[in-house]
Amino acid sequence: MAKRIQIAQYGGPETLQWIDFNPSDPDDDEVQVENKAIGINYIDTYVRSGLYPVPELPSGIGTEAAGMVTKVGNRVTAIKPGDRVVYAQSALGAYSEIHNVHQDKIALLPDAISFEQAAASFLKGLTVHYLLRQTYEVQADEIFLFHAAAGGVGLIACQWAKALGAHLIGTVGSAEKARLAKDRGAWATINYREEDIAQRVSELTDGKKVRVVYDSVGKATWEASLNCLQRRGLMVSFGNASGPVTGVNLAILNQKGSLYLTRPSLNGYITTRDELQRASNDLFSMLASGAIKVDVPESQRFPLREAQRAHTQLENRATQGSSLLIP
């Protein structure tokens, strides 16, 4: 017997249930992982609420964790029991003491990186990798806008941008979060509660605006983001923290300067083991070198059974950076 979190209906944090279950043996192409640290991501709240429906309820939740391999399937050759591993694109169910994961979704974890560092950074770090290096390849000295700069993804983006020599303007919701983003490498910050985002971007760029905006907030920042873009700039909408962007009139892209728009996700960029290996190697190099540091405050390390409290804090914007569940 083991413990896990599941949802039997969609709704708020109270729908997260702490239950017993019997882990099955891994299938031929699966690896069984004893989780040591579990990543909490905003997308988990979308699954729980029903914004991203699951095929069937009840269902596990979560896709990211780091731990030790305990069993492997018959066709698994590159991974063995005792290996330290991390994953971020598993089938739902990572909020669990034990989880079976397809071998193509598993990365071997270097000894220099702890389980907690890995679980706090893997999905977020792979996300920053595809955003800054593939969706649009940010260049040295380039100025760009990144929303929610003090969140888990945002703080990694601040550090990665600094390592590239690029100038990240980050939106934040408080002076404390502004200090945190600047400490991690943001070139400038904008407090969206007190300042007009588009106006400040224009001021910071001497009226030139930016070529790319990365927006995980969604509905609340949609128009402001478009107003920050240069002619033929790229709007990268990769999240819905304030609600989804709906009913878009495509003519607005024309009216604001023949803009480009994309709605990417990690699963569109990492679809094979080779793609996972290349991206994870880049991330691990940044972590091992110290260019990216991931520090999880003790107040944001929750026992697995307290997933409800973790989700409540996340949705109330009471967290900074990454949070973890510890089995």
Side-chain angles (χ1 to χ4, degrees):
M1 294 289 286
K3 291 280 195 178
R4 73 169 187 166
I5 298 292
Q6 75 167 22
I7 53 171
Q9 63 185 45
Y10 299 124
E14 70 281 355
T15 62
L16 297 171
Q17 301 174 333
W18 175 239
I19 66 162
D20 294 307
F21 81 110
N22 287 311
S24 60
D25 286 334
D27 290 342
D28 287 346
D29 291 306
E30 288 184 333
V31 172
Q32 186 169 93
V33 181
E34 180 183 346
N35 290 333
K36 301 297 186 182
I38 300 162
I40 304 172
N41 296 287
Y42 214 92
I43 194 171
D44 301 340
T45 71
Y46 300 161
V47 172
R48 189 209 70 224
S49 70
L51 180 63
Y52 290 179
V54 300
E56 184 179 3
L57 293 174
S59 170
I61 188 171
T63 62
E64 175 185 38
M68 296 286 292
V69 175
T70 55
K71 298 178 183 178
V72 299
N74 293 329
R75 288 199 288 263
V76 176
T77 57
I79 302 165
K80 64 184 184 302
D83 281 344
R84 303 172 75 250
V85 296
V86 61
Y87 57 89
Q89 295 172 286
S90 74
L92 291 173
Y95 284 23
S96 179
E97 293 175 338
I98 302 290
H99 191 37
N100 294 339
V101 184
H102 195 283
Q103 62 176 330
D104 289 349
K105 306 300 183 184
I106 291 275
L108 293 171
L109 184 62
D111 290 339
I113 301 170
S114 71
F115 292 126
E116 291 193 357
Q117 282 180 305
S121 67
F122 201 51
L123 180 61
K124 300 171 184 70
L126 293 179
T127 297
V128 173
H129 180 269
Y130 86 71
L131 290 172
L132 302 192
R133 311 313 295 144
Q134 294 178 278
T135 304
Y136 176 94
E137 192 168 357
V138 172
Q139 302 297 312
D141 296 322
E142 181 167 13
I143 302 174
F144 66 98
L145 180 65
F146 202 103
H147 286 289
V153 173
L155 290 179
I156 292 175
C158 288
Q159 295 174 82
W160 210 312
K162 183 179 181 180
L164 293 171
H167 303 311
L168 180 150
I169 302 172
T171 66
V172 295
S174 69
E176 183 182 0
K177 290 187 175 184
R179 285 192 294 271
L180 183 60
K182 290 292 288 290
D183 183 61
R184 291 297 194 275
W187 177 69
T189 58
I190 299 171
N191 187 332
Y192 63 82
R193 299 184 190 278
E194 300 175 354
E195 301 174 281
D196 182 281
I197 295 172
Q199 180 180 328
R200 280 297 292 145
V201 166
S202 182
E203 292 169 357
L204 288 165
T205 60
D206 295 326
K208 296 177 182 178
K209 302 185 180 181
V210 295
R211 292 191 64 186
V212 63
V213 173
Y214 296 100
D215 191 337
S216 62
V217 178
K219 183 179 179 180
T221 51
W222 164 251
E223 189 163 352
S225 292
L226 297 181
N227 290 336
C228 293
L229 285 166
Q230 299 174 7
R231 180 172 60 91
R232 292 163 56 191
L234 174 63
M235 170 67 171
V236 183
S237 176
F238 70 101
N240 313 298
S242 69
V245 177
T246 58
V248 174
N249 175 10
L250 288 179
I252 197 171
L253 302 178
N254 172 29
Q255 295 161 8
K256 292 185 180 294
S258 296
L259 303 179
Y260 292 89
L261 168 66
T262 185
R263 181 61 174 87
S265 71
L266 182 62
N267 290 336
Y269 283 85
I270 296 182
T271 60
T272 67
R273 185 165 183 80
D274 285 344
E275 290 172 342
L276 175 63
Q277 194 66 49
R278 286 194 295 270
S280 60
N281 284 346
D282 285 350
L283 175 60
F284 293 153
S285 294
M286 298 291 273
L287 289 166
S289 71
I292 291 177
K293 295 182 175 65
V294 182
D295 302 314
V296 181
E298 194 61 39
S299 63
Q300 291 176 210
R301 301 173 189 227
F302 303 88
L304 177 57
R305 64 179 177 277
E306 295 184 17
Q308 289 187 11
R309 184 164 67 91
H311 273 222
T312 298
Q313 296 231 10
L314 183 65
E315 291 183 302
N316 287 343
R317 299 181 183 271
T319 62
Q320 297 177 350
S322 298
S323 298
L324 292 172
L325 296 170
I326 306 298

